[in-house]
Amino acid sequence: MKSSSRLDLIPPYLFAELERKIAEKKAAGIDVISLGIGDPDTPTFPAVVAAGQEALADPTTHQYPSNRGRSEFRDAVADFYSRRFGVELDSDSEVIPAIGAKECIFNLSLAFLDGDGLALAADPGYPVYTAGPKLVGADAHLMPLVPELGFVPDLAAIPADVARRARLMFFNYPNNPTGAVAPEGFFEQVVEFAREHDILAVHDNAYSETTYDGYVAPSFLATPGAKEIGVEVFSLSKGWNMTGWRCAAMVGNAEAIATYWKLKSNVDSGLFEAIQLAGARALQPDMAAEVDRMCDLYARRRDLVCDALAAAGVAVTAPKGTIYIWAPIPDGYASASEYCEYVLEETAVVISPGGAYGPNGEGFFRISLTTPDHLLTEAVARIAALGTRTTA
Ligand SMILES: *Cc1c(COP(=O)(O)O)cnc(C)c1O
């Protein structure tokens, strides 16, 4: 069987490969601890599950949903954006459900890129920022995240011919994988750049509710002018422990939303309405206390991991947001993947090599905090005990 040449252009999805390796070890009776994928280990909040159960029993949710979404969901998203971010959205034209952010980000490439077009993609970044453009037969131009600038791209360094071909820009703060939060003034720079080059700015907002030390993350849409040139992909997956539900929304520019809607109505049949109603429940004000408790839990795990790594001589910075620790690999390894494979072989702990998120992630590894405390403690102790390898 011959697969499409488009599919040959992209590597296998990082975590698909990891899952295979883990399964192999587990089959061999090895006790593997995975700190690879970011997938909350705590269940969805009980009130959200209850709302989902009730909605599941309601026959009005059993038929095809409309791609446009139920008004309960769109209104809940708009109310949340107003209350939480001070962003006013028209729930009729500026909000649409998505079957997870991943689907949405991929489909934006399908909706906005032609063969000669390209997407500007944060590097390191969420793999779909580059796989999406390639799968639709277009291209991605990597924007290196510059540590000295606070892990944001240097927009002035984007070549003029690249800016001319660019139709989309993908960026994300609080940032996966680096844990960085958006520095003051960066979103304003994006608005100016997108306006100048007629680019749709796509802010991937997966972690605005998962922050620490009193830091409160803004929405990109709170930036003056952002709604004229941009959208935000808002996911309930991480902040509300809802990765399995596939519940997200795209919000912002009405024209971009209409375009995405046109595409979606030809590709999928909408987000299950019971999930939309559960999502609407998750966005009610009283759930903020549950979200805060999750932040406390992750902050404790973050400290546990950072302390152990620092004690083992790793130059690690505690992030203000996300569920990840991003740290440089120790000396003596040719690449991050070599280090991560060594860690897996020696300690049966899975960590992600930075290079899997793009060439600028090389030299770093990522640890996800979505593992129960006792396993996380055990895993970090194993890594710390490994020390530095002397023979490269
Ligand atoms: C987890 C993650 C997503 C995926 O969100 P879903 O709504 O579960 O598809 C998107 N972007 C980033 C940066 C993520 O870390």
Side-chain angles (χ1 to χ4, degrees), residues 109-375:
S109 284
L110 212 43
F112 287 95
L113 296 180
D114 291 306
D116 59 345
L118 55 80
L120 300 169
D123 168 32
Y126 189 58
V128 187
Y129 303 161
T130 48
K134 285 182 194 165
L135 280 173
V136 307
D139 217 347
H141 176 85
L142 299 177
M143 301 185 294
L145 301 187
V146 185
E148 293 74 29
L149 298 178
F151 289 104
V152 295
D154 178 3
L155 300 181
I158 296 170
D161 59 317
V162 169
R164 206 173 316 117
R165 286 172 58 206
R167 292 286 169 270
L168 294 170
M169 180 192 289
F170 294 120
F171 58 109
N172 142 253
Y173 295 92
N175 182 259
N176 174 12
T178 67
V181 300
E184 198 74 36
F186 175 66
F187 286 166
E188 285 78 358
Q189 285 175 33
V190 172
V191 170
E192 199 183 307
F193 189 87
R195 196 181 275 148
E196 187 183 336
H197 299 285
D198 191 21
I199 291 168
L200 177 67
V202 181
H203 184 238
D204 178 11
N205 179 7
Y207 298 100
S208 61
E209 306 316 294
T210 312
T211 58
Y212 316 116
D213 306 338
Y215 175 76
V216 179
S219 161
F220 170 63
L221 296 179
T223 314
K227 218 198 269 179
E228 285 141 46
I229 50 77
V231 291
E232 188 155 82
V233 183
F234 177 69
S235 173
L236 278 74
S237 283
K238 310 300 180 5
W240 286 263
N241 302 337
M242 290 180 75
T243 46
W245 298 66
R246 314 312 301 132
C247 188
M250 184 166 103
V251 297
N253 187 274
E255 195 187 328
I257 283 171
T259 304
Y260 170 70
W261 180 16
K262 179 178 176 189
L263 175 86
K264 269 177 79 66
S265 59
N266 283 286
V267 173
D268 66 61
S269 295
L271 175 61
F272 183 21
E273 291 193 358
I275 292 177
Q276 294 188 45
L277 293 173
R281 179 68 188 92
L283 296 171
Q284 298 311 305
D286 62 330
M287 288 299 102
E290 298 273 19
V291 172
D292 285 349
R293 266 193 289 281
M294 288 309 301
C295 291
D296 291 344
L297 172 79
Y298 291 132
R300 202 178 65 238
R301 290 180 182 172
R302 173 198 67 166
D303 293 342
L304 183 158
V305 171
C306 287
D307 290 352
L309 291 177
V314 176
V316 62
T317 313
K320 283 201 176 63
T322 77
I323 49 179
Y324 308 107
I325 305 298
W326 181 251
I329 61 169
D331 292 337
Y333 301 87
S335 68
S337 60
E338 186 187 293
Y339 174 65
C340 294
E341 263 169 46
Y342 180 68
V343 169
L344 179 61
E345 289 312 316
E346 295 295 316
T347 69
V349 173
V350 179
I351 57 177
S352 311
Y357 303 92
N360 266 281
E362 190 45 75
F364 289 84
F365 64 97
R366 194 193 78 172
I367 283 180
S368 164
L369 301 174
T370 53
T371 296
D373 291 30
H374 69 286
L375 288 176

